[in-house]
Amino acid sequence: MKKQIIALAVFAAFATHALAQGSLTPPGAPAPTMKTLSQIEARTPISAATTITQPGSYYLTAEISVAGGNGITISADEVTLDLNGFTIRSTAVSASGYGIFVNGTRRNIAIANGFIKGGTTWNGSSFSGAGFNYGIVSFSGSNITVSEVVVERCYYSGIYLWNDGSTAVASCTVRTHSSYGIVADRVESSIALECGSHAISANQVTDCRGSSVLSGFGISAERVRGSYGRAENGTYGISATTAHDSYGYASSTSSSASGISATTVVNSYGYGTSTAGDARGISASTVNNCYGYGTSTAGNARGIYATTVNNCYGYGHCTSTGAGYGIDAESVQNSYGYSGGDGGGAGYGIDAHSVGNSRGLSTRSHSGSRGIAAEGPVADSYAYCAAGHAIDAESAENCRGESTGGNGIHAGKSAMNCVGISSGSYGLSASTAGNCYGAGTRGITATVVNGCYGTGSTSYGILGTTVNNSYGFSTSGNSGLHATIAQNAYGFCESGSYGLYAGSIAIGCYGSHYGTGTGIYGYILNSCRGYSASGTAVGYSYKYNMP
C-alpha cells in the first residue's frame, strides 16, 4: 500500500511538469526570402533611343524607332546589350546615323538577340539609301562580340567592327547594304547577302555565306572553312590565304573572274565565268582534292590555275579566240584536266611542267591544242586530243595518247612503255622510243627505237635511225620499217616500196612485202632474209652469212 502511494505521487509530479505551456501570441508575419531581379542580375531596361554611359547589363523592353541619328550609342566599357528580340529601326528618308554605335575605343562589349532595320533598297543595278548608314559599328573598339542579330537595309554596312584581332560575329544575318556586309576578326555561322562590296571581310571565316552583287568579293579572309562566297559581278567569290571545304563562285561582265583565289585550297569547288576577260575556277599556289571550272567568252579560261595540283579535276571552257585550260600548273599529280568549247583558240587538258598519274583531254579543233602538254616528264598518264598532240612532253613513261589530228605521243627526248595512236598523224614521235606501240599515218618515228611495234596507214610503220628488236608494219606506205641501222627487226609492207629498208646496215632482220616492191633492202646485210610476193626478195650492196 505504501509503494502504491509513492508511485502515484511521482506520476503526479511528472504530469504537472510536462503540461506546462509558453506564450500563445503569434510572432508576426514571415519575412520575404526570395531575391529581387536586380539582386540576381543587375540589368537596366531601355525603351527609347539612348546613350549608355555606365558599365553594366542593358536590355530592350520595346521596339526603338528613330527618324534620324543613332538608335543606341555605347560610350562605356564592359557593356552587355540584349535586344531581347526587339527591333531598332530608322525611318530616315536619307541614310544617317547608326543602329548601334560603339563610340570610341570601347572595350568588352557584347551585343545580342534582336533586329536592326533601315530603308535601303537594291533594284538590281544600284542601291538607294534610307534609314541607318550602319547597323552596328565600331571604328576603334576591341573585345567586341555580336551574336544572333539580324541587320537589313542599312546603307553602308550591316555589322562593321574594327578588326584588331579581338572582334567576333556569330550566328548573324545581314542583307542589302551598298558596301560591306560583315567586317570583324572572326565571323562564324553567319550570312551576308546583297552587298555592294565584300559581303564578309575577316581574318577567319567559318560556316558562312557571303554574296556580293556589285564589284566586291563574296568572302575576303585569311582563313576560310566550310563557307560559300559568291560574287555576282566581282573578281573573286572567295579571296583567302587558305580555303578549306568551301565553294567560291564569281561571275563578271566587266573584268576577269575567279571562283576561289588563295594560296592553298583544299577540298573545295571554284567556278569562275567572265564575258569580258579571263576566267578561273580556282587560282592558287597549292590545290588538293578540288574541282575548278572556268568559262569565258572573251579571254582565256582555266579550270584550275596553280603551282601544285593533286587529286583535282579542272575544266576550262572557252568560246573565244582565247585558250582553254583544264589545269594549268607547274606540277600535276593524280588529276584530270579537260578543255572544251570552241572559239578558235587552242585547248589544253593539262598544261604543266611535270605530270604524273593524270588524265588530260581537249576537244577543241585548234591544231595547237594538247591533251597533256609538259615542259618536263609525263608518267603513268592518259591523254586525248581532237586536233593536236595528245601528249606533248619532254619525256613520256607508261603513258597512252590518242589523237585524231596530231601525234598520239610527241616526246622531245624519250618515250618508254607507251602507246601512241593517231588517225591523222604519227602514233608516236620521240628521240628515243623503248617498248612502245605506235599506230597512225606513221606508226613510230624516232632516232633510236628499241623493242617497239609500229603500224602506219599511209607512211612508215617505224621510221628511225637505229632500230633494234622491233616490228614495223605499213599497209600502203613507203616501208614497214625504215632505218639507217636495223638489228633483229622485222618489217612488213603490203603495197609500198620496202618491207624493211636499212640505209646502212641490217643484222638478223626479216623483211616481207606482198606487192611489187622489195622484201628487205640494205647497204650491208648480215644474216637477214627477205620475201616479196612479186617483187625482189632481197636488195643489197653487200651481204654476209646469207645465201
Side-chain angles (χ1 to χ4, degrees):
M1 186 67 167
K2 186 176 179 180
K3 292 181 179 181
Q4 291 177 345
I5 293 171
I6 293 172
L8 192 59
V10 171
F11 175 77
F14 174 78
T16 301
H17 177 74
L19 294 175
Q21 300 294 322
S23 174
L24 298 178
T25 303
T33 58
M34 297 180 62
K35 293 182 178 180
T36 64
L37 179 61
S38 62
Q39 289 174 315
I40 296 174
E41 180 182 6
R43 301 214 307 170
T44 302
I46 296 174
S47 59
T50 189
T51 297
I52 297 172
T53 59
Q54 296 297 321
S57 180
Y58 298 82
Y59 68 100
L60 265 61
T61 59
E63 178 178 300
I64 296 175
S65 181
V66 297
N70 301 341
I72 294 177
T73 300
I74 300 175
S75 295
D77 297 338
E78 285 86 41
V79 171
T80 297
L81 176 59
D82 182 0
L83 303 185
N84 204 26
F86 289 105
T87 300
I88 300 175
R89 186 189 310 272
S90 174
T91 59
V93 176
S94 297
S96 65
Y98 315 115
I100 299 174
F101 177 42
V102 181
N103 186 19
T105 56
R106 305 273 71 85
R107 296 174 55 86
N108 305 326
I109 308 295
I111 302 167
N113 190 29
F115 307 88
I116 298 174
K117 293 184 179 181
T120 295
T121 59
W122 162 251
N123 64 9
S125 61
S126 63
F127 290 89
S128 298
F132 293 121
N133 273 324
Y134 291 80
I136 299 173
V137 63
S138 170
F139 294 117
S140 56
S142 59
N143 298 342
I144 300 174
T145 63
V146 178
S147 60
E148 297 183 340
V149 176
V150 176
V151 182
E152 62 175 346
R153 301 173 64 188
C154 296
Y155 185 66
Y156 287 117
S157 295
I159 300 173
Y160 189 102
L161 305 180
W162 185 51
N163 187 352
D164 73 333
S166 67
T167 56
V169 174
S171 303
C172 291
T173 298
V174 305
R175 187 177 190 126
T176 314
H177 311 285
S178 69
S179 186
Y180 293 98
I182 298 174
V183 176
D185 176 60
R186 298 188 322 277
V187 181
E188 301 175 358
S189 305
S190 296
I191 299 172
L193 304 176
E194 278 187 7
C195 300
S197 186
H198 305 341
I200 298 176
S201 178
N203 287 331
Q204 181 174 315
V205 176
T206 306
D207 300 326
C208 292
R209 175 174 179 171
S211 177
S212 172
V213 293
L214 283 180
S215 59
F217 309 159
I219 295 174
S220 176
E222 290 293 317
R223 299 176 299 279
V224 178
R225 184 178 292 274
S227 298
Y228 172 34
R230 185 180 183 93
E232 291 293 345
N233 194 28
T235 308
Y236 305 118
I238 293 176
S239 175
T241 301
T242 60
H244 290 252
D245 310 306
S246 296
Y247 172 31
Y249 173 92
S251 173
S252 179
T253 58
S254 59
S255 65
S256 61
S258 295
I260 298 176
S261 177
T263 302
T264 302
V265 183
V266 180
N267 299 327
S268 298
Y269 173 57
Y271 184 105
T273 177
S274 175
T275 59
D278 293 349
R280 298 171 182 175
I282 296 175
S283 178
S285 178
T286 302
V287 182
N288 290 318
N289 306 316
C290 293
Y291 182 126
Y293 188 113
T295 175
S296 175
T297 60
N300 299 324
R302 291 173 170 86
I304 296 175
Y305 181 63
T307 301
T308 302
V309 176
N310 190 33
N311 295 323
C312 293
Y313 174 76
Y315 179 76
H317 184 90
C318 184
T319 57
S320 72
T321 56
Y325 301 81
I327 298 174
D328 186 0
E330 287 294 314
S331 174
V332 178
Q333 298 289 324
N334 310 314
S335 297
Y336 181 5
Y338 177 62
S339 175
D342 210 351
Y348 302 85
I350 296 175
D351 186 12
H353 183 272
S354 63
V355 180
N357 196 34
S358 296
R359 182 182 179 96
L361 275 76
S362 175
T363 57
R364 292 173 68 85
S365 60
H366 193 282
S367 61
S369 298
R370 300 289 185 267
I372 295 177
E375 297 177 359
V378 176
D380 307 307
S381 297
Y382 169 80
Y384 169 81
C385 188
H389 303 332
I391 295 177
D392 188 358
E394 181 183 53
S395 63
E397 185 174 1
N398 302 321
C399 293
R400 182 184 179 95
E402 299 181 33
S403 175
T404 57
N407 296 346
I409 293 177
H410 179 82
K413 290 186 176 179
S414 63
M416 303 299 293
N417 306 316
C418 292
V419 174
I421 299 173
S422 174
S423 58
S425 189
Y426 304 157
L428 188 149
S429 173
S431 178
T432 301
N435 302 317
C436 293
Y437 169 67
T441 56
R442 181 182 297 176
I444 295 175
T445 179
T447 302
V448 178
V449 181
N450 290 311
C452 294
Y453 172 33
T455 64
S457 59
T458 61
S459 184
Y460 307 114
I462 293 177
L463 173 64
T465 301
T466 302
V467 179
N468 297 318
N469 303 313
S470 298
Y471 169 49
F473 168 73
S474 178
T475 56
S476 59
N478 295 319
S479 304
L481 189 152
H482 187 105
T484 301
I485 299 174
Q487 185 171 1
N488 302 322
Y490 171 37
F492 169 69
C493 183
E494 191 168 285
S495 59
S497 301
Y498 303 95
L500 187 152
Y501 178 92
S504 181
I505 301 172
I507 301 173
C509 295
Y510 174 63
S512 176
H513 194 287
Y514 287 167
T516 59
T518 302
I520 185 170
Y521 175 83
Y523 184 75
I524 298 174
L525 299 180
N526 190 343
S527 305
C528 294
R529 181 171 181 265
Y531 168 79
S532 178
S534 58
T536 302
V538 178
Y540 60 89
S541 296
Y542 302 95
K543 67 176 183 176
Y544 301 93
N545 302 315
M546 295 172 60

